[in-house]
Amino acid sequence: MQWRFFGSVVLACVGAAAASAQQIALMPMPASAKRADGSLTVTPVHGLSHFTVAFARNGAPGALTADTRLLDAAHRMLVRLDRTCGGDVLRSVNGPASGRATLTIEVAREGEAVQSLDEDESYKLDVTPAGAQLTAATDVGAMHGMETLLQLASHVGGACVLPAITIDDAPRFRWRGFMLDVSRHFEPLPVIKRTLDGMAVAKLNVFHWHLSDDQGFRAESRRFPRLTSVGSGGLFYTQEQMRDIVAYARARGIRVVPEFDMPGHSTSWILAYPEIGSGEDIRALPTTFGIPVAELDPPRESTYKFLDGFIGEMSGIFPDAYFHIGGDETPGTGWMANSRIRAFMQRRGFAGPPELQAYFNQRLLPILERHGKRMIGWDEILNPALPKDIVIQSWRGEESLAAGARQGYEGILSAPYYLDAQKSSAQMFLADPLPADTKLDAGQQTLVLGGEVCMWAEQLDPETVDSRVWPRTLAVAERFWSPQSNRDLPYLYQRLRRASLELEDVGLLHISGPQQLRRNLAGTLHPEALELLASVTEPVSFSDREEEQHTDAYNSLDRLVDAVVADPPSRQAMAGDVDAVAGDVRLPAGGKDSPDTSGDVPEGFPPTRGEAIADLEERFFAWQRNAPALLQLARETPRLNDIEPLAVELGELGAVGAQALTFVDTRTAPPPGWAERADALLTRSAHNTALVRFTFLPSIEKLVLAAEARGR
Ligand code: ACM
């Protein structure tokens, strides 16, 4: 079963003799890692031991040479190491009373006062049986190294150990971001903090905070208090809270780039201050989603005075060099309905709204500059009228990133990393901001700064945010950090499972949150049957859901679709099993340019044919056995009424799967008509019901094809 994958990667005690074959499961994969013999014992089998950390600067040891940020990070690392190693590591960051510390951290300098794109994030980690040495140019690199060290710890031969290893690591891209929309649904402070903790594990370095949109303005302004008193519905961050988040992020090596969407997606601004809008009569915050009809008023000078005051105020809270102005989806509906604005466009010779938007952005540039900011915005701000020092965030496709680079603009890629598209980790991981076959020349390639994962919040709330974001974001974070040649999918999934558990350890609720939601949904009737269904279904994509969502039934975000996750572990496990039974088994070794991980193929992967058959039999049997319970659950639970077709089909698919497995295993030809009936069931089951879909249909189809082949 799926346990097999991570069970043997890090958790199993494999005995002292096997210490050299101990698994490493680093994520993101470092640029270079070389294993050596032996390991550093964190807890001895008997007796007391201190895991001590000493700091050195410029080669000179001394406990007091660490700055507060580094010291705090070391404390956090030791708390987590304690948990991994069983709670019995006695920890100290003051160095040992005598002799060598277990870990010496040497950092050349603290790092930039305001972290920039050019912050040196590299580090080296050297673990030998006698001790560990972490060296970095800055605190930020050292913090990345500490995350790596934590991932090395595991239990071998009755002790918690770090394998002997030399890691020399640095990120591939400088901009490795995560965007969170807190406008469509508000996310309270603890969610933001644990998201930042997850980002630190993933070595992501930019938190892009989408603070305003039509449905709510979430940042307190003292100059313009109506933005939140009228425009937030009461859900917003105070200035102290935003400062707290900036500090929390900085303590983890993460920049915070705020986004205030303008001139479109600005209904909440205009509800609060109609005088900066283009004449729309806004009476309330919208509660539905889509492309808005309201825009800020570009011809009016007072609009820029307002924005100057607002941006100045926000610049005192957000020190980052970049200020995100949004700029997406501005069709100009409000502008074209306003005769004064149309006349302005005519006088200026603007052909349409894109030219007026470019004018608006040109007016924003000196304002941003005056407050020490560089402009970043979505695709739509790309316009030759704007200077080359703006950054384009590409959301409409990979090609628009390249188009910007060819025109000399820096850019970051987001189009393939929209989490609400509900794509698999593998699909997102393989999408590369700079693919091997890029047509960009060397100079243009340097303009691609990296990418950002995006989490929009139309269908998201504080209970579901973690499971929508994690663990898939880890796969993209690895794409941004690790060498381009790292493309091995089985190996990715093995490490993802282990790193996913680590995320819960830092406080994310992406595993336990959906479990709780499912318990609430199922009650005491047949919770195990719902668990089974949830393990093999995933949410439909945003676009499919958007179509179907206009009923009250789905507005509360507490349905099965909210309690299942994209790309659940069973999908990959079943695909591996079917490959083992029906051929085409892929080994999970790294590519030739990958770090040296020889000896790191975990036990139980790939499964033997016998294991795979046993796993599949068990699954197919469970689907059939649970079908009556699922059906009863569907009929008796109002919020689950719509899963009835899934309950019926899961039982039928279990039966067909079991039959196909028997035909393949016993090399028996299926009876006449069987294949047609199986194909018809597969076709019938490939639908979106209750806003979820089955994840395993390609695996069953492969098995059915293999069975059919027996008949030829
Ligand atoms: C966007 O998805 N409208 C940036």
Side-chain angles (χ1 to χ4, degrees):
M1 314 303 283
Q2 61 267 43
W3 294 101
R4 179 185 63 234
F5 290 92
F6 59 76
S8 58
V9 174
V10 286
L11 300 180
C13 287
V14 291
S20 63
Q22 178 203 2
Q23 308 303 334
I24 61 167
L26 299 176
M27 188 161 209
M29 286 283 273
S32 153
K34 296 259 182 305
R35 291 281 299 276
D37 287 339
S39 58
L40 171 64
T41 304
V42 177
T43 41
V45 181
H46 303 293
L48 291 177
S49 166
H50 283 270
F51 187 100
T52 52
V53 179
F55 296 94
R57 218 177 279 267
N58 302 323
L64 299 178
T65 54
D67 57 81
T68 309
R69 177 164 68 160
L70 193 58
L71 213 50
D72 287 350
H75 273 294
R76 291 196 304 271
M77 173 190 69
L78 289 172
V79 169
R80 282 166 61 195
L81 191 62
D82 239 11
R83 286 204 291 270
T84 303
C85 289
D88 55 358
V89 181
L90 293 175
R91 50 184 194 260
S92 162
V93 290
N94 295 317
S98 63
R100 179 177 174 174
T102 327
L103 169 67
T104 303
I105 301 177
E106 177 161 0
V107 172
R109 57 184 187 281
E110 189 172 338
E112 296 163 317
V114 176
Q115 189 174 319
S116 82
L117 263 176
D118 298 320
E119 182 76 287
D120 188 335
E121 299 184 84
S122 66
Y123 70 92
K124 290 189 174 64
L125 179 62
D126 196 19
V127 181
T128 71
Q133 176 88 22
L134 172 60
T135 49
T138 68
D139 289 357
V140 179
M143 289 192 282
H144 293 320
M146 285 188 242
E147 292 294 343
T148 300
L149 183 144
L150 284 166
Q151 291 185 341
L152 288 172
S154 70
H155 295 95
V156 176
C160 196
V161 302
L162 306 174
I165 196 164
T166 299
I167 293 174
D168 194 346
D169 201 9
R172 179 173 166 219
F173 289 109
R174 292 181 290 166
W175 191 304
R176 304 180 309 280
F178 170 73
M179 186 221 74
L180 184 63
D181 167 13
V182 294
S183 173
R184 274 57 177 269
H185 284 89
F186 181 73
E187 296 293 350
L189 229 48
V191 171
I192 308 297
K193 288 192 173 175
R194 66 184 191 240
T195 300
L196 290 164
D197 288 331
M199 289 177 66
V201 171
K203 298 185 172 73
L204 291 170
N205 68 353
V206 181
F207 176 55
H208 167 175
W209 207 357
H210 184 83
L211 281 161
S212 79
D213 212 303
D214 301 301
Q215 289 76 13
F217 200 100
R218 306 298 180 200
E220 180 197 28
S221 165
R222 298 200 178 135
R223 294 181 80 138
F224 304 105
R226 286 173 60 84
L227 285 171
T228 50
S229 67
V230 173
S232 78
L235 295 170
F236 65 95
Y237 308 101
T238 65
Q239 297 204 344
E240 287 71 27
Q241 288 173 330
M242 293 188 289
R243 285 199 172 89
D244 182 32
I245 291 300
V246 170
Y248 194 91
R250 176 175 163 74
R252 286 152 183 79
I254 298 169
R255 300 163 41 207
V256 179
V257 174
E259 177 184 348
F260 295 96
D261 214 339
M262 60 183 104
H265 283 291
S266 53
T267 309
S268 58
W269 306 70
I270 297 169
L271 176 68
Y273 292 95
E275 60 271 29
I276 59 170
S278 44
E280 302 83 1
D281 183 18
I282 311 286
R283 300 290 175 90
L285 286 173
T287 53
T288 56
F289 312 105
I291 298 176
V293 295
E295 283 113 15
L296 301 185
D297 187 343
R300 222 194 275 271
E301 285 307 307
S302 52
T303 304
Y304 304 104
K305 197 157 180 294
F306 183 104
L307 291 173
D308 189 16
F310 177 75
I311 291 169
E313 187 182 10
M314 290 301 120
S315 297
I317 296 167
F318 297 103
D320 199 81
Y322 290 84
F323 196 94
H324 203 302
I325 61 148
D328 56 318
E329 298 181 309
T330 308
T333 316
W335 295 340
M336 299 314 284
N338 181 318
S339 58
R340 177 179 50 82
I341 296 177
R342 278 202 315 275
F344 178 84
M345 290 170 66
Q346 235 163 18
R347 280 200 303 283
R348 296 259 171 178
F350 295 159
E355 285 77 12
L356 184 58
Q357 185 174 357
Y359 166 84
F360 173 82
N361 289 341
Q362 281 174 308
R363 296 294 310 271
L364 275 183
L365 275 168
I367 296 174
L368 291 173
E369 214 165 90
R370 188 158 48 253
H371 298 295
K373 301 296 182 195
R374 285 180 64 177
M375 179 185 288
I376 174 169
W378 301 102
D379 276 345
E380 292 92 328
I381 73 164
L382 179 60
N383 188 299
L386 292 183
K388 297 292 187 280
D389 64 350
I390 63 171
V391 174
I392 311 294
Q393 180 163 15
S394 160
W395 73 279
R396 292 189 297 194
E398 274 106 325
E399 184 42 39
S400 74
L401 181 74
R406 277 194 284 272
Q407 293 173 55
Y409 290 98
E410 288 181 327
I412 58 175
L413 183 65
S414 281
Y417 313 125
Y418 267 38
L419 291 165
D420 60 9
Q422 309 296 355
K423 286 184 291 194
S424 68
S425 294
Q427 286 171 300
M428 292 193 293
F429 172 72
L430 291 176
D432 199 313
L434 271 177
D437 62 355
T438 181
K439 304 281 185 299
L440 297 179
D441 65 29
Q444 292 163 346
Q445 289 183 34
T446 64
L447 298 173
V448 176
L449 302 177
E452 275 189 8
V453 183
C454 291
M455 185 75 259
W456 296 101
E458 287 93 341
Q459 299 157 350
L460 193 74
D461 69 12
E463 286 191 88
T464 55
V465 56
D466 293 1
S467 65
R468 292 300 192 240
V469 175
W470 309 101
R472 289 181 300 152
T473 291
L474 285 168
V476 187
E478 172 152 310
R479 172 56 50 220
F480 296 159
W481 180 281
S482 304
Q484 186 187 55
S485 56
N486 170 24
R487 296 177 73 79
D488 191 297
L489 297 180
Y491 196 42
L492 170 85
Y493 276 103
Q494 289 158 27
R495 291 175 297 110
L496 194 59
R497 305 248 154 82
R498 186 243 181 268
S500 179
L501 296 181
E502 189 183 355
L503 291 175
E504 283 246 334
D505 191 48
V506 299
L508 287 155
L509 304 172
H510 59 295
I511 300 171
S512 48
Q515 284 169 342
Q516 185 186 356
L517 281 173
R518 293 195 296 268
R519 280 198 300 276
N520 293 343
L521 271 174
T524 52
L525 192 54
H526 291 297
E528 69 296 333
L530 191 65
E531 283 303 290
L532 190 74
L533 178 66
S535 74
V536 292
T537 45
E538 65 184 353
V540 299
S541 72
F542 174 77
S543 51
D544 287 342
R545 189 170 180 183
E546 195 188 17
E547 294 293 298
E548 291 191 43
Q549 204 185 18
H550 299 294
T551 62
D552 286 345
Y554 291 109
N555 284 343
S556 49
L557 299 173
D558 61 357
R559 311 289 295 230
L560 180 64
V561 61
D562 304 298
V564 298
V565 298
D567 200 11
S570 69
R571 185 189 69 80
Q572 188 68 10
M574 280 189 71
D577 284 344
V578 169
D579 278 349
V581 174
D584 188 32
V585 179
R586 293 188 55 217
L587 291 171
K592 68 178 165 38
D593 297 327
S594 301
D596 175 13
T597 53
S598 51
D600 288 328
V601 178
E603 267 178 36
F605 192 91
T608 64
R609 195 164 191 277
E611 286 169 340
I613 288 172
D615 279 352
L616 290 170
E617 274 175 349
E618 204 173 309
R619 281 180 196 279
F620 296 145
F621 181 63
W623 295 0
Q624 294 174 76
R625 194 184 55 218
N626 276 279
L630 261 180
L631 203 53
Q632 190 192 6
L633 199 56
R635 289 182 175 155
E636 296 190 16
T637 311
R639 272 189 297 165
L640 292 173
N641 286 162
D642 52 5
I643 70 167
E644 190 170 324
L646 298 168
V648 173
E649 282 160 11
L650 191 63
E652 292 173 355
L653 287 160
V656 161
Q659 289 155 10
L661 191 59
T662 305
F663 296 137
V664 173
D665 189 29
T666 59
R667 302 179 177 278
T668 310
W674 177 86
E676 288 73 18
R677 284 194 299 279
D679 288 341
L681 174 62
L682 283 166
T683 306
R684 190 152 47 81
S685 308
H687 55 71
N688 298 336
T689 290
L691 302 179
V692 304
R693 61 187 175 215
F694 289 126
T695 56
F696 54 76
L697 294 178
S699 287
I700 306 259
E701 191 177 0
K702 194 165 182 177
L703 212 49
V704 166
L705 282 173
E708 281 182 56
R710 298 277 176 250
R712 286 201 286 271

